[in-house]
Amino acid sequence: MIPPTYKPKKKFMQLAIAEAKRARDRGDYPIGAVITRLIGKQEVVIASAGNRVKTSGSSIKHVELETLKYVSSGYGRYLPDFVLYSTHEPCAMCAGACVWSKVGAVVFGVSQEDITAYGKKHGTEEFKWRACLISCKYVLEKGGLDAPVFGGFLRPECRKLFGYRPS
């Protein structure tokens, strides 16, 4: 279990941001995720990745879902000592995966509302930026998962990913 005193760590979200930039560099949506594990007083990175929706050709290859599947394959189906960091709020599908895997906590940068607002104003045929306006916290609560959700973590840095262009 993640203790109630848990505080998200900037370095893990910064790693997710770096993964998001790598995703955009290869032609995907700039969304990144990191999964950490609390072992005693230490927190270690178990997996990190960037989104692969566009390059895989699959609309369900969301980075949160893929990293949870990867970690579950090595650590078991339940992940109560693990924290999912994502630059973007997990959609209802990915939040559902958090429920099924009993992840210990979720930390995200920009919200589904941020994604929708950006998509309406700047979406293109290549990068639509659609969102599902069901909050991650709501899905976790309705799924019976009592895990902390930390939204808006490093939000300004994560918002910059919307306009990120490879160098």
Side-chain angles (χ1 to χ4, degrees):
M1 291 291 294
I2 302 301
T5 56
Y6 179 77
K7 301 279 189 252
K9 312 295 183 300
K10 189 175 178 179
K11 67 181 178 180
F12 299 130
M13 185 61 85
Q14 288 171 330
L15 177 56
I17 291 168
E19 289 287 358
K21 289 177 179 178
R22 280 193 280 283
R24 178 58 176 98
D25 290 348
R26 71 171 172 270
D28 270 295
Y29 288 99
I31 302 170
V34 171
I35 296 183
T36 63
R37 184 177 192 189
L38 263 65
I39 304 169
K41 293 185 186 235
Q42 287 190 322
E43 187 171 3
V44 296
V45 173
I46 302 299
S48 65
N51 200 33
R52 292 197 179 271
V53 166
K54 294 186 74 48
T55 56
S56 72
S58 172
S59 59
I60 61 171
K61 285 273 189 183
H62 291 197
V63 67
E64 301 92 346
L65 184 60
E66 293 299 303
T67 52
L68 284 166
K69 282 179 5 184
Y70 174 79
V71 172
S72 290
S73 70
Y75 290 90
R77 64 190 278 200
Y78 299 131
L79 307 170
D81 299 331
F82 294 77
V83 178
L84 170 66
Y85 283 81
S86 180
T87 57
H88 292 59
E89 180 177 10
C91 69
M93 174 181 68
C94 295
C98 290
V99 169
W100 296 122
S101 64
K102 298 184 182 184
V103 75
V106 176
V107 180
F108 67 85
V110 296
S111 68
Q112 289 292 317
E113 287 79 9
D114 290 329
I115 298 165
T116 297
Y118 184 85
K120 283 182 179 176
K121 196 170 187 180
H122 302 287
T124 65
E125 190 55 34
E126 183 185 8
F127 291 100
K128 297 182 187 318
W129 287 106
R130 292 183 304 263
C132 181
L133 292 174
I134 301 170
S135 78
C136 174
K137 186 172 184 152
Y138 178 81
V139 174
L140 269 56
E141 287 172 357
K142 288 297 186 181
L145 183 62
D146 186 25
V149 176
F150 302 88
F153 189 72
L154 297 189
R155 182 176 179 255
E157 292 91 329
C158 292
R159 281 188 66 173
K160 288 178 186 173
L161 292 169
F162 287 130
Y164 174 73
R165 297 290 174 253
S167 48

